[in-house]
Amino acid sequence: MNELVPGGNVPLPSGTLTIRVPGPFDVSALITDDTGRVRGDTDFVFYNQPTAPGARLTGETLTVDPPALRPGAIRLTVAISPADPDTPLGHLPGPTLLVTGPDGRAIARFTPPRPQRETVLLLAELYRKGPGWKLRALGQGYADGLAGVARDFGVDVIEDAPTSASGPTSAPRQGRGAVTYAAPPRGRDQPPPARATQATPPAPDSNSFLGLVNSTRTAAGSPPVTLNAQLSAAAQAHATAMAAQGRLASEGKDGVSVYQRVTTGGYAYLTIGEHLVSGPRTPAEFVDHCRSDRQARQTLCEPTCNEAGLGHATDPRSGTVFWTALWAQPFSPAGLRRTAAEVITLTNAERAGAGLPPLSPDPLLTNAAQAHSTDMVARAFYAHTSPDGGEPWHRAAAAGSTRRSIGENIACGQRSAAEVVLGWMNSPGHRANILKPGFTHIGIGFAGGGAAGTYWTQLFGG
């Protein structure tokens, strides 16, 4: 079974899939086409409307036959909300998504970072890739319930209107009040669409943007950032792609992710963060939005980032302005060595806590681990088995290692050594590798890019 992290994906077998989220949650699903929006209310599967072509909801279990979804559907997004609508998800046990195939075999499990004030969480999406289907882990939170999710996907939500002594009045629609977490993608939010009659905003003033950003970073104790031309070009290209399709997305219609735009533009990084936002009209409004939420502010003030890029574009159909801001620490060989050393230090701290001896760095295992992370970015896959059938022990041997036992952990989407080691320790299979008494040596690989932004490999030998 695949233990997924935010942004991780896995191919799905043919046939009917069973998706469960045990616990005090209501499960729902949204079926969308290449516009990213539903065609009608029947594309929203939830407790009051439990069936749609190719999908059926029974209690906490959703069954899906992807090819049987309505014509034109290319994606099904799975969401959960508390069974008690007045309870934030942060007050409930952490949710875990379980996916099994038509033969009853477990395919994937995903436990997202623990929610806080959110009342709805997008857990995963099933999406068509060529002739087949894949599952991608998400972890995107909303704070205004299913209504906010439904509106973002194009469902027409009719709210109850309050009454007064003078008669009924129109209830104002509340826009999405949530921040998107992770990862991939983090720090995104989507206020209600702007009216098409609004004027096109002026081009961003770089000095104004930098001044606002760096004053916020200084107050948080973080060093200033400078604008980088390659990051700004990637940010502008992604903002333009979002405006063209009229929605926030980490990938454009061409399937190119914001991280791939960065790396194909020639920028290599060790750390990256992003804000994908729609609605603000000026750089000042955009920065104010990024400062308004804890998670978004944390991305803006990330102390390891020292370069930034900004882009914005307007959807001519609605007048909505789409923004992309990128925050990065550029790649350097010394920085890569520091990152790998930090992963090893944290790994050995976990082993010490379990009474186990530390693992020694091994240059041959390091070369094999680095090659695998780089390969996952270059060939756009995420798996222990490479597209040509190579396994961890094959890669170790090819690098010249003669270790008798080999183990491997991989992860994608995490932004730091601390985050990736914590994720591995929270996963039983990865934790078992870290705490295996028979392992004596370790190598670490890291590469930036691809769909998830970061790809990590931990290769063990004994």
Side-chain angles (χ1 to χ4, degrees), residues 246-394:
R247 66 183 181 94
L248 294 173
S250 60
E251 295 181 353
K253 277 188 175 181
D254 55 4
V256 178
S257 75
V258 62
Y259 315 111
Q260 289 167 319
R261 297 186 199 283
V262 172
T263 54
T264 56
Y267 189 95
Y269 56 82
L270 285 171
T271 304
I272 194 163
E274 71 284 337
H275 288 107
L276 309 181
V277 177
S278 66
R281 308 293 297 174
T282 66
E285 290 181 10
F286 170 75
V287 174
D288 185 60
H289 165 83
C290 295
R291 292 187 297 208
S292 65
D293 180 270
R294 181 189 62 82
Q295 185 72 23
R297 186 183 182 94
Q298 181 177 326
T299 300
L300 186 150
C301 296
E302 170 56 49
T304 59
C305 295
N306 54 24
E307 295 185 336
L310 178 69
H312 89 324
T314 302
D315 179 355
R317 297 156 296 191
S318 67
T320 303
V321 186
F322 290 84
W323 298 79
T324 299
L326 297 168
W327 319 89
Q329 176 190 7
F331 174 87
S332 69
L336 179 61
R337 289 192 295 271
R338 285 194 301 270
T339 299
E342 187 176 355
V343 173
I344 294 173
T345 298
L346 293 168
T347 298
N348 282 334
E350 297 291 349
R351 287 177 63 88
L356 296 169
L359 301 172
S360 300
D362 183 311
L364 299 179
L365 294 179
T366 297
N367 291 341
Q370 184 60 45
H372 189 54
S373 288
T374 302
D375 192 30
M376 286 191 288
V377 170
R379 292 201 277 179
F381 73 98
Y382 175 68
H384 295 288
T385 304
S386 61
D388 55 11
E391 301 287 357
W393 46 92
H394 297 144

Side-chain angles (χ1 to χ4, degrees), residues 80-243:
I80 61 163
S81 56
D84 176 0
D86 295 326
T87 304
L89 286 169
H91 294 177
L92 299 175
T96 295
L97 178 92
L98 303 169
V99 183
T100 57
D103 58 358
R105 181 179 59 87
I107 297 172
R109 177 167 59 188
F110 172 53
T111 300
R114 188 169 181 84
Q116 298 183 24
R117 63 185 178 85
E118 298 90 333
T119 55
V120 175
L121 197 66
L122 303 187
L123 278 180
E125 59 184 8
L126 283 65
Y127 63 101
R128 193 169 66 208
K129 188 73 171 178
W133 287 74
K134 300 184 77 172
L135 171 77
R136 178 186 290 124
L138 297 176
Q140 173 180 344
Y142 285 69
D144 61 345
L146 286 175
V149 178
R151 289 192 192 99
D152 271 8
F153 281 78
V155 177
D156 187 17
V157 179
I158 300 174
E159 301 185 22
D160 294 333
T163 58
S164 66
S166 60
T169 61
S170 244
R173 291 194 170 189
Q174 300 300 316
R176 172 178 166 182
V179 172
T180 306
Y181 296 98
R186 300 167 181 235
R188 294 181 301 183
D189 199 359
Q190 186 176 11
R195 295 183 181 273
T197 55
Q198 290 180 310
T200 300
D205 180 339
S206 297
N207 292 329
S208 170
F209 170 73
L210 271 184
L212 292 165
V213 166
N214 284 332
S215 65
T216 303
R217 290 176 62 88
T218 297
S222 298
V225 294
T226 58
L227 281 178
N228 176 275
Q230 291 169 311
L231 285 177
S232 291
Q236 184 58 52
H238 195 72
T240 301
M242 291 192 297

